[in-house]
């Protein structure tokens, strides 16, 4: 093999493609590629694909190709005898390094005579393989690969997923299967939140009390195992050691770090925002951080190192005479000469930390609180509190990543994440400033996600973020996104993710060994956990040791059943509007009416099937009002359907009473809410 000649040949036949119109026929591809041309031929599963790699020898690329072939073969009929052996030709120029943002673009061609992947780097090969795994289509009982010519490249270079392994520890197996999920949708940065008030989760050889007080942690060997697993999938791993706030676990290990006078003997056993902070005035604080960061910057090879910096309101600093004296002596008081300029003191701390991180050859990343006068330009800002931080950072000349709008733990819809674009058309940045927007990260904070259910809180919604960050800005069809999200959800289960299996298992556990789980499942599938941070404030105090094994934990973050019901209601109401009165006498309208009626009848009847179980199980009793509400609301929906069918307009009195009833039913229980109520409201409201 002569890599140089090969590269030359490769560049000649590899056009840098211009932005073209968004592909119309997206099939199961997520994220949508830059350009897709479907052919009419196909590659049958009677074919054996023989990999042929042309590029610098690389075991990771060879392993990735073999992995994809194994996965594709699993979809072939077991009895398929190979009728032909055709090439899977993989040509790449260089071995790509994810940490230097090497190119990820690729072309993928499937024809009846074989498959060809061309990419400037091996990273492009990995992305092409991810696309290839989404190509199989069922033809009769067999899956085939359709003929296609795909050219693809990412819109943003930084496409991340944050996993909080500090609040609930996430074993290596959880991280690995989520890395597989990330690779499938072309996410390329794992932001590993490793330390918080509730735990410090990495073995430290230099400061072992940090992990010892925390109980569950990753050994350094396990960290390296995860890093290798990620690298093999073209994924960077950025560790976060959050300072100066969120540090009770650190203070439990090394009390001399504390600003306040409270002595923490254990890690924090609460979810309340603690607002504790490291003492920024003591040289011993920096000596300890320097020791730790020296060790951790060696363990984690990525050039970026996240130091957190969020949610320190400065109350401990203001309350400590020693710290106030330091602030006074160093000109960190406000104009009144008395009040602490918290930002000035934290910027001093940040600069000290940045110097350390730089000394170890890393670029510092921090949450948007660290942005302000005096922050050096080489710090990267991760914006979580709003879009403003992102643009302020770029306008100040700092690189920036968007997470606001991508908080998976807030249980918002995939559509809302999908609509969040780091650089929408009307953004306020100049072309040069736009270059500083590196991309974004979905965040999975883990107050309400343990290792069992975390997949169901990440997937499939994280895939909507992945598409927003990879695909062209013009790819915005929400129905098409949801259709493909459903396909990806199935694909991910095949890769070992448990976003469907784990909630189902939890339902079975809740129903007990003797009861039929079906009625409980029917209810659970139309429930969603309350949104945003409301779960903390609904009559149930969660602490880190609270088991996450109630119905709220089995409820989907976004109910597919409710969303699909909502789409059907809208379609029916569109028919109704077009017909003027009642419904048109078309087969489509009749079928839809029948589907909706059947769904509503199921919900109406579900309560009486479920009541015995709800009454018998102490952990389920609190959900009884929601089961009853579903039944009552469904009955109202059925009344409205009957009116529509007969072409009767509802009386003003009927509608008013029905809406009042729906409002009364709209009460969360057990930190969940009925996700179908807004859709039933639209149905009942219709004239
Ligand atoms: C954060 O959510 N406190 C970064």
């Amino acid at each position: 093999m002569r890599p140089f000649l090969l590269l030359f040949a490769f560049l000649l036949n590899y056009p840098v493609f211009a932005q073209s119109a968004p592909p119309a026929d997206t099939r199961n591809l997520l994220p949508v590629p830059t350009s897709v041309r479907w052919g009419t031929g196909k590659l049958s599963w009677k074919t054996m694909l023989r990999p042929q790699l042309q590029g610098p020898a690389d075991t990771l690329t060879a392993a990735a190709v073999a992995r994809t072939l194994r996965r594709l073969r699993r979809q072939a009929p077991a009895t398929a005898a190979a009728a032909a052996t055709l090439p899977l030709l993989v040509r790449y120029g260089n071995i790509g390094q994810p940490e230097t943002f090497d190119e990820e673009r690729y072309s993928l061609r499937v024809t009846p005579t074989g498959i060809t992947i061309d990419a400037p780097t091996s990273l492009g090969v990995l992305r092409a393989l991810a696309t290839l795994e989404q190509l199989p289509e069922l033809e009769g009982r067999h899956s085939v690969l359709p003929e296609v010519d795909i050219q693809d490249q990412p819109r943003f270079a930084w496409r991340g997923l944050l996993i909080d392994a500090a609040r609930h520890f996430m074993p290596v197996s959880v991280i690995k299967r989520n890395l597989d999920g990330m690779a499938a949708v072309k996410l390329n940065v794992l932001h590993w939140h490793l330390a918080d008030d509730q735990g410090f989760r990495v073995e430290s050889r230099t400061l072992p009390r940090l992990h010892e007080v925390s109980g569950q942690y990753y050994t350094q060997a396990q960290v390296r195992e995860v890093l290798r697993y990620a690298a093999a999938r073209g994924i960077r791993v950025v560790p976060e050691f959050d300072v100066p706030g969120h540090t009770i676990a650190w203070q439990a290990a090394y009390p001399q770090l504390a600003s306040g006078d409270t002595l923490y003997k254990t890690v924090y056993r609460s979810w309340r925002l603690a607002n504790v902070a490291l003492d920024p005035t003591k040289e011993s604080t920096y000596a300890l951080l320097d020791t730790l960061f020296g060790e951790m910057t060696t363990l984690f090879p990525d050039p970026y190192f996240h130091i957190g910096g969020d949610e320190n309101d400065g109350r401990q600093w203001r309350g400590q005479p020693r710290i106030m004296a330091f602030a006074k002596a160093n000109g960190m008081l406000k104009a009144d000469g008395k009040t602490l300029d918290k930002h000035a003191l934290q910027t001093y701390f940040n600069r000290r930390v940045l110097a350390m991180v730089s000394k170890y050859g890393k670029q510092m990343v921090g949450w948007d609180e660290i942005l302000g006068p005096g922050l050096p330009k080489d710090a990267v800002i991760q914006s979580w509190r709003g879009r403003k931080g992102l643009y302020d950072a770029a306008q100040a000349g700092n690189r920036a990543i968007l997470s606001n709008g991508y908080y998976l733990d807030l249980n918002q819809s995939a559509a809302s994440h999908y609509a969040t674009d780091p650089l929408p058309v009307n953004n306020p940045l100049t072309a040069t400033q736009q270059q500083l927007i590196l991309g974004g990260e979905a965040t999975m904070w883990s107050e309400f996600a343990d290792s069992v259910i975390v997949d169901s809180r990440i997937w499939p919604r994280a895939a909507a973020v992945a598409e927003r960050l990879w695909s062209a800005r013009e790819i915005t069809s929400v129905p098409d996104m949801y259709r493909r999200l459903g396909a990806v959800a199935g694909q991910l289960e095949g890769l070992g993710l448990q976003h469907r299996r784990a909630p189902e298992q939890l339902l079975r556990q809740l129903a007990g060994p003797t009861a039929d789980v079906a009625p409980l499942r029917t209810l659970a599938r139309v429930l969603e956990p309350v949104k945003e941070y409301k779960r903390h404030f609904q009559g149930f105090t969660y602490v880190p040791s609270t088991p996450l094994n109630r119905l709220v934990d089995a409820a989907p973050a976004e109910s597919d059943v409710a969303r699909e019901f909502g789409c059907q209601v809208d379609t029916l109401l569109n028919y109704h509007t077009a017909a003027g009165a009642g419904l048109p006498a078309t087969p489509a309208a009749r079928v839809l009416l029948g589907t909706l009626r059947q769904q509503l009848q199921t919900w109406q009847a579900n309560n009486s099937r479920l009541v015995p179980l709800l009454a018998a199980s102490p952990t389920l009793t609190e959900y009884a009002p929601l089961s009853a509400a579903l039944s009552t609301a469904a009955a109202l929906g059925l009344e409205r359907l009957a009116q529509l069918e007969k072409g009767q307009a509802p009386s003003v009195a009927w509608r008013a009473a029905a809406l009042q009833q729906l409002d009364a039913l709209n009460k969360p229980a057990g930190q969940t809410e009925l996700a179908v109520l807004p859709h039933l409201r639209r149905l009942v409201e219709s004239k």
Side-chain angles (χ1 to χ4, degrees):
M1 193 161 31
R2 287 176 295 171
F4 287 106
L5 267 184
L6 186 75
L7 179 61
F8 185 62
F10 169 81
L11 288 174
L12 281 180
N13 68 26
Y14 199 97
V16 175
F17 32 90
Q19 211 70 276
S20 50
D25 184 3
T26 53
R27 308 215 185 170
N28 287 342
L29 301 180
L30 192 161
V32 169
T34 312
S35 129
V36 183
R37 279 201 304 271
W38 300 103
T40 51
K42 60 182 188 248
L43 196 91
S44 135
W45 277 114
K46 300 241 172 73
T47 319
M48 277 302 278
L49 286 167
R50 183 169 34 81
Q52 221 175 300
L53 273 64
Q54 294 181 4
D58 180 38
T59 52
L60 293 185
T61 304
V65 171
R67 193 162 59 232
T68 293
L69 284 177
R70 263 198 316 278
R71 287 175 182 160
L72 289 176
R73 236 169 252 148
R74 274 213 306 261
Q75 304 180 27
T79 53
T85 300
L86 293 173
L88 166 56
L89 178 59
V90 178
R91 296 186 294 213
Y92 57 101
N94 300 314
I95 297 172
Q97 307 294 339
E99 60 276 14
T100 54
F101 296 110
D102 278 348
E103 281 201 85
E104 296 173 278
R105 85 188 142 93
Y106 66 90
S107 78
L108 166 65
R109 294 188 188 86
V110 178
T111 72
T113 57
I115 300 176
T116 308
I117 290 170
D118 278 307
T121 79
S122 57
L123 292 178
V125 174
L126 295 175
R127 306 307 171 230
L129 294 170
T131 303
L132 178 57
E133 289 180 33
Q134 293 178 336
L135 281 178
E137 292 175 354
L138 273 182
E139 195 182 79
R141 288 172 45 240
H142 299 311
S143 92
V144 297
L145 287 173
E147 182 172 18
V148 72
D149 183 344
I150 293 173
Q151 313 280 333
D152 199 10
Q153 62 190 357
R155 181 171 169 217
F156 292 104
W158 189 304
R159 306 178 306 278
L161 171 66
L162 176 151
I163 297 181
D164 174 3
R167 291 186 172 89
H168 276 105
F169 182 68
M170 303 292 166
V172 168
S173 58
V174 175
I175 303 296
K176 282 186 172 177
R177 65 184 191 235
N178 278 283
L179 285 164
D180 281 319
M182 290 173 67
V185 296
K186 305 185 175 75
L187 288 170
N188 68 347
V189 181
L190 171 66
H191 174 160
W192 210 356
H193 185 78
L194 287 164
D196 215 296
D197 293 316
Q198 295 81 7
F200 186 101
R201 304 300 186 181
V202 189
E203 175 192 14
S204 169
R205 305 257 165 93
T206 58
L207 297 159
R209 285 187 50 74
L210 283 171
H211 66 263
E212 285 165 7
V213 297
S214 301
Q216 289 179 294
Y217 60 90
Y218 305 103
T219 65
Q220 296 203 352
Q222 287 176 319
V223 169
R224 289 195 191 92
E225 184 186 340
V226 167
L227 297 176
R228 275 193 303 274
Y229 199 86
R233 286 150 185 80
I235 296 173
R236 300 169 38 221
V237 178
V238 176
E240 179 185 349
F241 296 92
D242 198 353
V243 288
H246 290 272
T247 47
I248 290 177
W250 307 55
Q251 298 185 26
Y254 298 98
Q256 66 269 29
L257 289 167
S259 293
D261 295 325
T262 306
L263 183 65
Y264 289 101
K265 297 204 174 115
T266 67
V267 299
Y268 198 37
R269 291 177 176 155
S270 162
W271 295 136
R272 279 194 307 277
L273 185 58
N275 272 301
V276 304
L278 304 179
D279 187 333
T281 69
K282 285 185 187 162
E283 284 309 308
S284 59
T285 298
Y286 299 105
L288 186 144
L289 286 176
D290 189 57
T291 301
L292 181 74
F293 288 177
E295 181 182 13
M296 293 302 153
T297 52
T298 307
L299 180 61
F300 292 91
D302 198 82
Y304 292 84
F305 195 79
H306 204 303
I307 57 87
D310 58 321
E311 294 187 304
N312 165 35
D313 70 358
R315 75 179 68 172
Q316 284 204 319
W317 292 351
R318 279 192 294 275
Q320 183 55 264
R322 158 181 97 243
I323 294 175
M324 289 304 287
F326 177 92
K328 185 165 185 207
N330 289 279
M332 297 167 182
L333 298 182
K334 292 200 172 152
D336 63 8
K338 292 199 291 269
T339 319
L340 174 70
D341 181 348
K342 195 268 304 189
H343 197 83
L345 184 50
Q346 189 150 348
T347 298
Y348 165 81
F349 175 85
N350 289 338
R351 294 181 77 99
R352 296 286 305 260
V353 169
L354 180 74
M356 249 176 243
V357 169
S358 304
K359 178 177 79 177
Y360 293 117
K362 305 286 182 178
Q363 302 173 62
M364 183 173 101
V365 191
W367 297 104
D368 53 39
E369 285 97 328
I370 74 166
L371 183 66
L375 184 78
K377 298 283 169 270
D378 48 357
V380 179
I381 300 300
Q382 182 164 10
S383 174
W384 74 281
R385 292 178 301 173
R387 188 64 67 89
K388 187 173 181 300
L390 186 79
Y391 297 144
D392 285 353
Q395 283 165 344
N398 292 80
R399 289 165 298 164
I401 305 160
L402 182 64
S403 276
N404 177 261
Y406 298 144
Y407 265 45
L408 300 173
D409 55 309
L410 302 186
N411 298 309
Q412 285 157 336
S413 66
S416 78
H417 299 313
Y418 198 55
T420 301
D421 190 319
L423 287 173
V425 175
N426 59 356
N427 73 78
L429 302 182
T430 66
T432 309
Q433 289 164 350
Q434 289 185 28
Q435 299 294 317
L436 296 170
I437 306 300
L438 301 178
E441 280 186 7
T443 58
M444 184 65 241
W445 300 104
S446 64
E447 284 92 337
F448 298 116
D450 62 10
S451 60
V452 176
I453 62 150
V454 67
D455 297 6
S456 72
R457 296 302 181 229
I458 297 176
W459 305 105
R461 291 174 305 142
V465 180
E467 173 152 298
R468 179 53 52 236
L469 297 173
W470 176 284
S471 302
R473 181 160 60 197
E474 294 72 30
I475 303 290
T476 52
S477 164
V478 170
D480 192 55
M481 177 274 288
Y482 274 117
R483 182 186 60 75
R484 290 176 293 113
L485 213 56
V488 162
Q491 183 198 356
L492 294 175
E493 280 272 334
L495 294 176
L497 283 150
Q498 303 186 2
H499 52 293
R500 286 178 173 170
R501 259 171 290 166
E504 175 64 20
Q505 176 60 30
L506 184 46
L507 287 177
R508 286 175 186 278
Q509 184 181 315
L510 286 165
T514 54
D516 176 12
V517 72
L520 188 61
R521 188 191 294 128
T522 297
L523 176 63
R525 285 192 175 167
V526 294
L527 295 179
E528 290 174 0
V530 291
K531 311 283 156 202
E532 297 171 342
Y533 296 103
K534 281 187 237 158
R535 196 164 163 185
H536 288 291
F537 308 107
Q538 299 210 338
F540 187 102
T541 302
Y542 285 89
V543 293
S545 59
T546 307
L548 298 177
N549 60 3
R550 290 156 60 237
L551 195 56
V552 56
D553 303 299
E558 178 177 18
S559 162
D560 285 336
V561 174
R563 185 178 49 75
E564 282 158 18
F565 175 75
C567 292
Q568 289 168 345
V569 164
D570 290 336
T571 306
L572 190 81
L573 293 180
N574 286 340
Y575 287 152
H576 171 54
T577 307
L583 293 169
T586 60
R590 261 200 306 280
V591 168
L592 183 57
L593 186 74
T595 306
L596 281 167
R597 181 182 289 125
Q598 199 166 30
Q599 176 66 86
L600 289 168
Q601 284 168 343
T602 303
W603 289 337
Q604 188 188 23
N606 197 59
N607 189 44
S608 58
R609 297 175 66 201
L610 190 52
V611 157
L613 180 61
L614 295 179
S617 158
T619 52
L620 288 175
T621 304
E622 64 181 321
Y623 296 97
L626 292 172
S627 177
L630 179 63
S631 177
T632 309
L636 290 172
L638 283 167
E639 283 179 38
R640 182 71 192 104
L641 281 192
Q643 294 163 356
L644 280 167
E645 195 176 16
K646 290 187 208 138
Q648 292 172 346
S651 71
V652 172
W654 181 88
R655 189 184 307 119
L659 290 176
Q660 199 175 16
Q661 218 176 340
L662 283 179
D663 286 343
L665 296 173
N666 191 10
K667 289 207 178 63
Q671 301 88 52
T672 62
E673 54 199 11
L674 266 180
V676 287
L677 287 181
H679 309 310
L680 279 160
R681 197 166 218 291
R682 283 202 306 288
L683 182 61
V684 163
E685 252 172 356
S686 62
K687 298 211 167 130

